[in-house]
Amino acid sequence: MVTIVDRNIRPEVEVVTPPVARGDFVVPRPGTGAAAKKFGVLPMPKLEWNAEVERETAHLYEKVKHIIPSVEWPFHAPYVYAINKLKKQRNAVLLAHNYQTPEIYNCVADFVGDSLQLAKEAAKSKADIIIQGGVHFMAETSKLLNPDKTVLIPDLRAGCSLAQSITGEDVRLLRERYPGVPVVTYVNTSADVKAESDICCTSSNAVQVVESFGVDRVICIPDEFLARWVATQTKVKIIAWKGHCEVHERFTGEELRRYREADPGVQILAHPECPPDVIAEADFTGSTSGILNYVKTKKPKRVVMVTECSMADNVQAEAPDTEFVRPCNLCPHMKRITLPKILDSLVYLREEVEIDPAIAAKARRAVERMIHLKS
Ligand code: 13P
Ligand code: SF4
Protein backbone atom coordinates (compact mmCIF):
# COMPACT_ATOMS: atom_id res chain seq x y z
CA MET A 1 0.00 0.00 0.00
CA VAL A 2 1.25 3.44 -0.86
CA THR A 3 0.66 6.05 1.82
CA ILE A 4 -0.20 9.39 0.23
CA VAL A 5 1.21 12.13 2.40
CA ASP A 6 -0.60 15.48 2.44
CA ARG A 7 1.12 17.79 -0.09
CA ASN A 8 1.43 20.53 2.52
CA ILE A 9 3.53 18.37 4.80
CA ARG A 10 7.12 18.71 3.62
CA PRO A 11 8.54 15.24 3.02
CA GLU A 12 11.76 14.48 4.78
CA VAL A 13 14.47 14.15 2.13
CA GLU A 14 18.20 14.36 2.64
CA VAL A 15 20.11 15.03 -0.59
CA VAL A 16 23.75 14.04 -1.02
CA THR A 17 25.94 15.92 -3.52
CA PRO A 18 28.50 14.16 -5.75
CA PRO A 19 32.04 14.63 -4.38
CA VAL A 20 33.59 15.98 -7.60
CA ALA A 21 32.34 17.66 -10.79
CA ARG A 22 31.65 15.12 -13.48
CA GLY A 23 33.49 15.25 -16.81
CA ASP A 24 32.11 14.50 -20.27
CA PHE A 25 30.31 11.26 -21.06
CA VAL A 26 32.70 8.37 -21.10
CA VAL A 27 32.08 6.52 -24.35
CA PRO A 28 31.48 2.90 -23.37
CA ARG A 29 33.80 0.22 -24.77
CA PRO A 30 32.90 -0.81 -28.32
CA GLY A 31 31.92 -4.45 -28.92
CA THR A 32 34.58 -7.02 -29.71
CA GLY A 33 33.04 -8.02 -33.00
CA ALA A 34 32.04 -11.42 -31.62
CA ALA A 35 28.51 -11.06 -33.03
CA ALA A 36 29.86 -10.28 -36.50
CA LYS A 37 31.96 -13.44 -36.32
CA LYS A 38 29.04 -15.53 -35.00
CA PHE A 39 26.27 -14.37 -37.36
CA GLY A 40 28.24 -12.90 -40.30
CA VAL A 41 28.01 -9.43 -41.82
CA LEU A 42 25.43 -8.98 -44.60
CA PRO A 43 25.53 -6.80 -47.71
CA MET A 44 23.87 -3.38 -47.26
CA PRO A 45 20.43 -3.59 -48.93
CA LYS A 46 19.50 -1.22 -51.75
CA LEU A 47 17.69 1.77 -50.35
CA GLU A 48 15.39 2.99 -53.07
CA TRP A 49 11.86 4.34 -53.10
CA ASN A 50 9.98 2.15 -55.59
CA ALA A 51 6.51 0.67 -56.08
CA GLU A 52 7.27 -2.40 -53.94
CA VAL A 53 8.56 -0.31 -51.02
CA GLU A 54 5.61 2.04 -51.29
CA ARG A 55 3.11 -0.86 -51.29
CA GLU A 56 4.77 -2.83 -48.48
CA THR A 57 5.08 0.18 -46.16
CA ALA A 58 1.70 1.83 -46.88
CA HIS A 59 0.06 0.35 -43.74
CA LEU A 60 2.92 1.74 -41.61
CA TYR A 61 2.65 5.20 -43.13
CA GLU A 62 -1.02 5.21 -42.06
CA LYS A 63 0.21 5.14 -38.42
CA VAL A 64 2.48 8.18 -38.78
CA LYS A 65 0.78 10.29 -41.40
CA HIS A 66 -0.39 12.74 -38.69
CA ILE A 67 3.21 13.57 -37.91
CA ILE A 68 5.35 12.74 -40.99
CA PRO A 69 4.50 14.76 -44.13
CA SER A 70 3.97 12.63 -47.27
CA VAL A 71 6.96 14.30 -49.00
CA GLU A 72 9.24 12.94 -46.26
CA TRP A 73 7.97 9.35 -46.30
CA PRO A 74 10.03 8.30 -49.39
CA PHE A 75 13.17 9.05 -47.32
CA HIS A 76 12.07 6.88 -44.35
CA ALA A 77 10.26 4.07 -46.18
CA PRO A 78 13.30 2.32 -47.80
CA TYR A 79 14.91 2.06 -44.34
CA VAL A 80 11.68 0.84 -42.74
CA TYR A 81 11.29 -1.81 -45.46
CA ALA A 82 14.92 -2.99 -45.21
CA ILE A 83 14.96 -3.04 -41.38
CA ASN A 84 11.75 -5.08 -41.12
CA LYS A 85 13.08 -7.64 -43.63
CA LEU A 86 16.47 -7.92 -41.93
CA LYS A 87 14.97 -8.33 -38.46
CA LYS A 88 13.21 -11.50 -39.69
CA GLN A 89 16.32 -12.78 -41.42
CA ARG A 90 18.46 -12.22 -38.29
CA ASN A 91 15.81 -13.36 -35.74
CA ALA A 92 16.23 -9.94 -34.14
CA VAL A 93 13.81 -7.81 -32.11
CA LEU A 94 13.83 -4.08 -31.69
CA LEU A 95 12.82 -2.76 -28.25
CA ALA A 96 11.93 0.93 -28.50
CA HIS A 97 11.46 3.37 -25.65
CA ASN A 98 8.49 5.76 -25.68
CA TYR A 99 10.91 8.64 -26.51
CA GLN A 100 11.97 7.18 -29.85
CA THR A 101 10.98 9.12 -32.96
CA PRO A 102 7.60 8.20 -34.53
CA GLU A 103 9.10 6.37 -37.53
CA ILE A 104 11.04 4.09 -35.14
CA TYR A 105 8.27 3.75 -32.54
CA ASN A 106 5.49 3.01 -35.04
CA CYS A 107 7.20 1.46 -38.05
CA VAL A 108 10.12 -0.78 -37.00
CA ALA A 109 9.75 -1.47 -33.24
CA ASP A 110 8.58 -4.92 -32.09
CA PHE A 111 7.94 -3.75 -28.53
CA VAL A 112 7.47 -0.24 -27.21
CA GLY A 113 7.15 0.96 -23.64
CA ASP A 114 8.70 2.55 -20.58
CA SER A 115 11.92 1.34 -18.96
CA LEU A 116 10.17 -1.31 -16.85
CA GLN A 117 8.17 -2.72 -19.77
CA LEU A 118 11.27 -2.89 -21.97
CA ALA A 119 13.23 -4.66 -19.22
CA LYS A 120 10.40 -7.22 -18.87
CA GLU A 121 10.29 -7.75 -22.66
CA ALA A 122 14.05 -8.21 -22.71
CA ALA A 123 13.73 -10.88 -20.00
CA LYS A 124 11.15 -12.81 -22.10
CA SER A 125 12.90 -12.46 -25.44
CA LYS A 126 13.42 -15.55 -27.63
CA ALA A 127 15.31 -13.62 -30.31
CA ASP A 128 19.01 -14.21 -31.07
CA ILE A 129 19.67 -10.50 -31.29
CA ILE A 130 18.15 -7.61 -29.31
CA ILE A 131 18.49 -4.11 -30.73
CA GLN A 132 17.82 -1.36 -28.22
CA GLY A 133 15.99 1.66 -29.48
CA GLY A 134 16.89 3.75 -26.48
CA VAL A 135 19.91 4.77 -24.44
CA HIS A 136 22.91 2.83 -23.21
CA PHE A 137 21.63 1.97 -19.71
CA MET A 138 18.55 0.37 -21.30
CA ALA A 139 20.74 -1.76 -23.59
CA GLU A 140 22.87 -2.74 -20.60
CA THR A 141 19.72 -3.82 -18.73
CA SER A 142 18.73 -5.98 -21.73
CA LYS A 143 22.20 -7.53 -21.75
CA LEU A 144 22.07 -8.19 -18.00
CA LEU A 145 18.85 -10.15 -18.51
CA ASN A 146 20.15 -11.89 -21.66
CA PRO A 147 23.83 -12.58 -21.00
CA ASP A 148 24.07 -15.20 -23.77
CA LYS A 149 22.35 -13.11 -26.43
CA THR A 150 23.73 -10.43 -28.68
CA VAL A 151 22.52 -7.00 -27.57
CA LEU A 152 23.22 -4.10 -29.91
CA ILE A 153 22.81 -0.37 -29.51
CA PRO A 154 22.84 1.61 -32.76
CA ASP A 155 24.93 4.42 -31.24
CA LEU A 156 27.19 3.80 -28.24
CA ARG A 157 27.16 7.51 -27.40
CA ALA A 158 23.45 7.43 -26.46
CA GLY A 159 24.05 8.15 -22.77
CA CYS A 160 21.96 9.73 -20.00
CA SER A 161 22.76 12.60 -17.62
CA LEU A 162 21.36 10.60 -14.70
CA ALA A 163 23.51 7.55 -15.48
CA GLN A 164 26.52 9.85 -15.73
CA SER A 165 25.86 11.50 -12.35
CA ILE A 166 26.97 8.58 -10.17
CA THR A 167 29.55 5.78 -10.06
CA GLY A 168 29.83 2.46 -8.24
CA GLU A 169 32.47 4.06 -5.99
CA ASP A 170 29.93 6.77 -4.99
CA VAL A 171 27.46 4.06 -3.94
CA ARG A 172 30.12 2.34 -1.83
CA LEU A 173 30.82 5.66 -0.08
CA LEU A 174 27.09 6.16 0.55
CA ARG A 175 26.89 2.73 2.15
CA GLU A 176 29.78 3.68 4.45
CA ARG A 177 27.99 6.89 5.41
CA TYR A 178 24.62 5.19 5.99
CA PRO A 179 25.48 1.64 7.15
CA GLY A 180 22.63 -0.85 6.89
CA VAL A 181 20.33 1.46 4.87
CA PRO A 182 19.05 -0.32 1.73
CA VAL A 183 20.05 1.13 -1.66
CA VAL A 184 17.39 1.51 -4.37
CA THR A 185 18.87 2.50 -7.72
CA TYR A 186 16.94 3.93 -10.63
CA VAL A 187 17.48 1.84 -13.79
CA ASN A 188 18.94 4.99 -15.38
CA THR A 189 22.40 3.98 -14.12
CA SER A 190 25.41 1.99 -15.32
CA ALA A 191 25.79 -1.72 -14.55
CA ASP A 192 28.61 -0.75 -12.18
CA VAL A 193 26.16 1.28 -10.05
CA LYS A 194 23.44 -1.38 -10.23
CA ALA A 195 26.02 -3.92 -9.01
CA GLU A 196 26.44 -1.94 -5.77
CA SER A 197 22.67 -1.71 -5.17
CA ASP A 198 20.14 -3.90 -3.37
CA ILE A 199 17.44 -3.44 -5.99
CA CYS A 200 16.57 -1.32 -9.03
CA CYS A 201 13.45 0.71 -9.65
CA THR A 202 11.89 2.62 -12.52
CA SER A 203 9.62 5.66 -12.42
CA SER A 204 6.59 3.35 -12.59
CA ASN A 205 7.43 1.25 -9.50
CA ALA A 206 9.73 3.46 -7.39
CA VAL A 207 7.29 3.89 -4.47
CA GLN A 208 6.51 0.17 -4.34
CA VAL A 209 10.23 -0.72 -4.43
CA VAL A 210 11.11 1.78 -1.67
CA GLU A 211 8.35 0.38 0.56
CA SER A 212 9.24 -3.25 -0.21
CA PHE A 213 11.97 -3.27 2.49
CA GLY A 214 9.57 -2.41 5.30
CA VAL A 215 12.16 -0.08 6.88
CA ASP A 216 11.90 3.60 7.77
CA ARG A 217 14.91 4.87 5.75
CA VAL A 218 16.03 4.07 2.20
CA ILE A 219 18.73 5.45 -0.11
CA CYS A 220 17.04 6.24 -3.46
CA ILE A 221 19.53 7.32 -6.14
CA PRO A 222 20.57 9.04 -8.39
CA ASP A 223 17.57 11.20 -9.42
CA GLU A 224 16.96 13.86 -6.78
CA PHE A 225 13.59 14.84 -8.23
CA LEU A 226 12.27 11.29 -8.56
CA ALA A 227 13.38 10.74 -4.95
CA ARG A 228 11.65 13.92 -3.81
CA TRP A 229 8.45 12.83 -5.59
CA VAL A 230 8.66 9.34 -4.00
CA ALA A 231 9.03 11.05 -0.59
CA THR A 232 5.67 12.77 -1.13
CA GLN A 233 4.02 9.37 -1.68
CA THR A 234 5.43 7.43 1.29
CA LYS A 235 6.29 7.71 4.97
CA VAL A 236 9.74 6.19 4.36
CA LYS A 237 12.53 8.73 4.86
CA ILE A 238 14.50 9.13 1.64
CA ILE A 239 18.21 9.79 1.22
CA ALA A 240 18.70 11.12 -2.32
CA TRP A 241 21.55 12.00 -4.67
CA LYS A 242 21.93 15.24 -6.59
CA GLY A 243 21.59 13.76 -10.09
CA HIS A 244 19.16 15.27 -12.60
CA CYS A 245 17.71 14.48 -16.00
CA GLU A 246 18.96 17.25 -18.30
CA VAL A 247 15.66 17.11 -20.23
CA HIS A 248 13.14 17.25 -17.37
CA GLU A 249 15.04 19.63 -15.08
CA ARG A 250 14.49 22.43 -17.63
CA PHE A 251 10.70 22.58 -17.17
CA THR A 252 9.42 25.20 -14.71
CA GLY A 253 6.26 25.61 -12.64
CA GLU A 254 6.00 29.15 -14.04
CA GLU A 255 5.57 27.99 -17.65
CA LEU A 256 2.89 25.51 -16.58
CA ARG A 257 0.98 28.18 -14.69
CA ARG A 258 0.91 30.20 -17.91
CA TYR A 259 -0.62 27.22 -19.80
CA ARG A 260 -3.21 26.85 -17.03
CA GLU A 261 -4.06 30.57 -17.11
CA ALA A 262 -4.53 30.41 -20.89
CA ASP A 263 -6.82 27.36 -20.57
CA PRO A 264 -8.11 26.47 -17.05
CA GLY A 265 -9.49 23.13 -18.36
CA VAL A 266 -6.13 21.85 -19.60
CA GLN A 267 -4.72 18.67 -17.96
CA ILE A 268 -1.03 18.78 -17.01
CA LEU A 269 0.79 15.43 -17.05
CA ALA A 270 4.35 15.31 -15.72
CA HIS A 271 7.15 12.76 -15.46
CA PRO A 272 8.55 12.33 -11.91
CA GLU A 273 12.02 13.37 -13.18
CA CYS A 274 10.64 16.96 -13.24
CA PRO A 275 11.49 19.44 -10.44
CA PRO A 276 9.04 19.61 -7.47
CA ASP A 277 7.52 22.98 -8.54
CA VAL A 278 6.56 21.38 -11.88
CA ILE A 279 5.05 18.31 -10.20
CA ALA A 280 3.10 20.61 -7.85
CA GLU A 281 1.31 22.02 -10.92
CA ALA A 282 0.55 18.61 -12.46
CA ASP A 283 -2.85 16.87 -12.44
CA PHE A 284 -1.05 13.54 -12.88
CA THR A 285 2.55 12.40 -12.31
CA GLY A 286 3.76 9.10 -13.72
CA SER A 287 6.16 7.16 -15.91
CA THR A 288 6.00 7.50 -19.68
CA SER A 289 3.57 4.55 -19.84
CA GLY A 290 1.57 5.97 -16.93
CA ILE A 291 1.14 9.18 -18.94
CA LEU A 292 0.16 7.21 -22.05
CA ASN A 293 -2.44 5.19 -20.08
CA TYR A 294 -3.85 8.34 -18.49
CA VAL A 295 -4.48 9.86 -21.93
CA LYS A 296 -5.95 6.62 -23.34
CA THR A 297 -8.31 5.97 -20.42
CA LYS A 298 -9.31 9.48 -19.28
CA LYS A 299 -9.45 10.90 -22.82
CA PRO A 300 -8.78 14.51 -21.76
CA LYS A 301 -9.69 17.18 -24.33
CA ARG A 302 -6.44 19.07 -24.02
CA VAL A 303 -3.19 18.09 -22.29
CA VAL A 304 0.20 19.57 -21.59
CA MET A 305 2.73 16.74 -21.64
CA VAL A 306 5.68 17.67 -19.46
CA THR A 307 8.22 15.22 -20.79
CA GLU A 308 10.35 14.49 -23.87
CA CYS A 309 9.08 15.73 -27.27
CA SER A 310 8.50 12.41 -29.00
CA MET A 311 6.04 11.27 -26.32
CA ALA A 312 3.32 13.59 -27.58
CA ASP A 313 3.97 12.53 -31.20
CA ASN A 314 3.68 8.87 -30.25
CA VAL A 315 0.68 9.22 -27.94
CA GLN A 316 -1.15 11.35 -30.50
CA ALA A 317 -1.49 8.31 -32.81
CA GLU A 318 -3.34 6.42 -30.03
CA ALA A 319 -5.41 9.38 -28.85
CA PRO A 320 -6.59 11.21 -31.97
CA ASP A 321 -9.28 13.16 -30.07
CA THR A 322 -6.90 14.71 -27.56
CA GLU A 323 -5.19 17.99 -28.37
CA PHE A 324 -1.55 18.20 -27.22
CA VAL A 325 0.16 21.36 -26.06
CA ARG A 326 3.87 20.60 -26.45
CA PRO A 327 6.35 22.31 -24.13
CA CYS A 328 8.96 20.27 -25.91
CA ASN A 329 12.41 19.33 -24.54
CA LEU A 330 14.42 16.91 -26.68
CA CYS A 331 16.59 14.16 -25.19
CA PRO A 332 19.77 14.42 -27.32
CA HIS A 333 20.78 10.89 -26.33
CA MET A 334 17.51 9.25 -27.39
CA LYS A 335 17.74 11.18 -30.66
CA ARG A 336 21.10 9.60 -31.53
CA ILE A 337 19.13 6.48 -32.51
CA THR A 338 17.98 6.79 -36.12
CA LEU A 339 16.71 4.48 -38.87
CA PRO A 340 20.07 4.48 -40.77
CA LYS A 341 21.93 3.52 -37.56
CA ILE A 342 19.43 0.74 -36.79
CA LEU A 343 19.99 -0.61 -40.29
CA ASP A 344 23.77 -0.48 -39.77
CA SER A 345 23.30 -2.45 -36.55
CA LEU A 346 21.42 -5.18 -38.36
CA VAL A 347 23.84 -5.38 -41.28
CA TYR A 348 27.17 -5.02 -39.43
CA LEU A 349 26.04 -6.27 -35.98
CA ARG A 350 27.24 -3.24 -34.08
CA GLU A 351 27.59 -1.78 -31.48
CA GLU A 352 27.73 -4.78 -29.17
CA VAL A 353 26.96 -4.18 -25.50
CA GLU A 354 29.44 -5.94 -23.22
CA ILE A 355 29.50 -6.05 -19.41
CA ASP A 356 32.27 -7.38 -17.19
CA PRO A 357 30.87 -10.77 -15.99
CA ALA A 358 31.69 -10.11 -12.31
CA ILE A 359 29.83 -6.77 -12.39
CA ALA A 360 27.02 -8.26 -14.49
CA ALA A 361 26.30 -11.03 -11.96
CA LYS A 362 25.76 -8.50 -9.13
CA ALA A 363 23.88 -5.97 -11.29
CA ARG A 364 21.56 -8.71 -12.67
CA ARG A 365 20.50 -9.58 -9.12
CA ALA A 366 19.35 -5.98 -8.52
CA VAL A 367 17.36 -5.85 -11.80
CA GLU A 368 15.80 -9.30 -11.34
CA ARG A 369 14.76 -8.46 -7.78
CA MET A 370 12.81 -5.53 -9.19
CA ILE A 371 11.24 -7.55 -12.00
CA HIS A 372 10.09 -10.29 -9.63
CA LEU A 373 8.63 -7.90 -7.07
CA LYS A 374 4.92 -8.73 -6.62
CA SER A 375 2.71 -5.81 -7.63
P1 13P B 1 10.30 5.78 -18.06
O1 13P B 1 10.71 4.61 -17.26
O2 13P B 1 9.16 6.53 -17.47
O3 13P B 1 10.05 5.39 -19.48
O4 13P B 1 11.50 6.85 -18.03
C1 13P B 1 12.74 6.62 -18.62
C2 13P B 1 13.45 7.87 -18.91
O5 13P B 1 14.61 7.87 -19.25
C3 13P B 1 12.69 9.09 -18.76
O6 13P B 1 13.50 10.17 -18.97
FE1 SF4 C 1 18.32 10.26 -19.41
FE2 SF4 C 1 16.65 12.31 -19.27
FE3 SF4 C 1 17.29 11.34 -21.65
FE4 SF4 C 1 15.68 9.95 -19.97
S1 SF4 C 1 15.26 11.90 -20.96
S2 SF4 C 1 17.42 9.14 -21.15
S3 SF4 C 1 16.59 10.48 -18.00
S4 SF4 C 1 18.71 12.30 -20.20
Side-chain angles (χ1 to χ4, degrees):
M1 275 293 289
V2 174
T3 311
I4 311 284
V5 177
D6 187 316
R7 270 231 171 101
N8 297 321
I9 300 171
R10 282 176 68 85
E12 205 186 332
V13 183
E14 185 178 337
V15 182
V16 182
T17 309
V20 286
R22 300 278 179 232
D24 285 342
F25 279 112
V26 178
V27 177
R29 284 178 301 127
T32 57
K37 283 195 200 102
K38 184 171 172 191
F39 299 107
V41 167
L42 294 170
M44 179 58 76
K46 278 211 176 69
L47 294 165
E48 52 185 45
W49 172 243
N50 55 31
E52 183 185 343
V53 171
E54 184 173 9
R55 189 179 60 247
E56 296 297 321
T57 60
H59 65 293
L60 297 170
Y61 184 60
E62 272 306 298
K63 296 191 328 189
V64 290
K65 66 180 186 198
H66 66 286
I67 190 81
I68 299 178
S70 57
V71 288
E72 282 180 22
W73 185 241
F75 295 97
H76 295 303
Y79 286 100
V80 168
Y81 183 63
I83 288 168
N84 285 333
K85 264 180 112 167
L86 275 182
K87 276 191 308 171
K88 283 200 192 113
Q89 193 176 334
R90 292 273 199 205
N91 187 25
V93 287
L94 177 67
L95 309 181
H97 185 260
N98 291 327
Y99 293 163
Q100 292 291 283
T101 51
E103 66 278 8
I104 294 175
Y105 182 93
N106 291 287
C107 304
V108 292
D110 297 288
F111 301 98
V112 293
D114 67 11
S115 306
L116 182 61
Q117 290 169 321
L118 295 185
K120 286 182 170 169
E121 276 313 325
K124 284 192 284 189
S125 177
K126 296 263 185 294
D128 294 321
I129 298 169
I130 296 173
I131 301 174
Q132 200 80 33
V135 292
H136 192 261
F137 75 79
M138 294 178 177
E140 263 191 351
T141 308
S142 292
K143 182 68 181 177
L144 288 174
L145 297 170
N146 292 278
D148 300 327
K149 292 200 174 120
T150 296
V151 176
L152 304 174
I153 182 150
D155 189 326
L156 268 176
R157 295 166 303 167
C160 169
S161 64
L162 280 169
Q164 193 213 0
S165 74
I166 192 161
T167 64
E169 175 62 15
D170 292 330
V171 186
R172 286 192 287 277
L173 291 173
L174 275 170
R175 281 203 191 270
E176 273 174 30
R177 186 155 157 186
Y178 300 100
V181 180
V183 177
V184 173
T185 295
Y186 198 24
V187 281
N188 297 36
T189 45
S190 64
D192 189 30
V193 168
K194 290 182 175 79
E196 298 298 330
S197 312
D198 293 295
I199 188 169
C200 286
C201 75
T202 71
S203 54
S204 60
N205 63 10
V207 177
Q208 185 201 357
V209 171
V210 160
E211 293 187 338
S212 68
F213 291 94
V215 297
D216 61 3
R217 211 160 56 135
V218 163
I219 297 171
C220 183
I221 49 178
D223 187 350
E224 178 192 351
F225 297 149
L226 175 71
R228 284 188 182 280
W229 175 73
V230 169
T232 66
Q233 311 291 307
T234 179
K235 288 189 168 138
V236 178
K237 186 192 165 205
I238 303 291
I239 296 159
W241 184 253
K242 219 169 182 48
H244 297 152
C245 161
E246 67 187 85
V247 177
H248 291 89
E249 72 176 348
R250 281 185 284 145
F251 294 109
T252 65
E254 180 53 36
E255 67 181 304
L256 299 183
R257 282 190 287 281
R258 284 201 298 271
Y259 286 118
R260 184 94 71 193
E261 270 160 35
D263 177 0
V266 79
Q267 296 269 292
I268 297 178
L269 316 180
H271 195 277
E273 290 171 8
C274 293
D277 68 323
V278 168
I279 289 178
E281 294 299 325
D283 298 292
F284 172 79
T285 301
S287 72
T288 55
S289 294
I291 291 175
L292 176 65
N293 284 342
Y294 184 97
V295 174
K296 284 205 292 198
T297 53
K298 300 249 184 296
K299 301 189 191 326
K301 254 182 81 187
R302 206 153 174 258
V303 298
V304 178
M305 223 172 235
V306 198
T307 186
E308 210 269 349
C309 306
S310 289
M311 260 303 278
D313 296 339
N314 294 331
V315 176
Q316 179 80 80
E318 300 191 51
D321 299 329
T322 298
E323 190 190 330
F324 291 89
V325 182
R326 298 162 196 244
C328 191
N329 285 347
L330 265 181
C331 174
H333 312 292
M334 287 280 179
K335 267 42 199 185
R336 284 193 184 275
I337 310 301
T338 60
L339 288 177
K341 288 184 200 167
I342 292 172
L343 182 60
D344 278 359
S345 279
L346 278 161
V347 170
Y348 303 117
L349 297 163
R350 65 179 195 219
E351 309 286 348
E352 267 188 274
V353 176
E354 311 265 18
I355 308 171
D356 178 313
I359 292 175
K362 288 164 77 189
R364 185 175 306 118
R365 222 175 33 219
V367 176
E368 284 179 344
R369 237 178 132 179
M370 167 187 79
I371 289 183
H372 297 132
L373 208 66
K374 294 267 172 299
S375 42

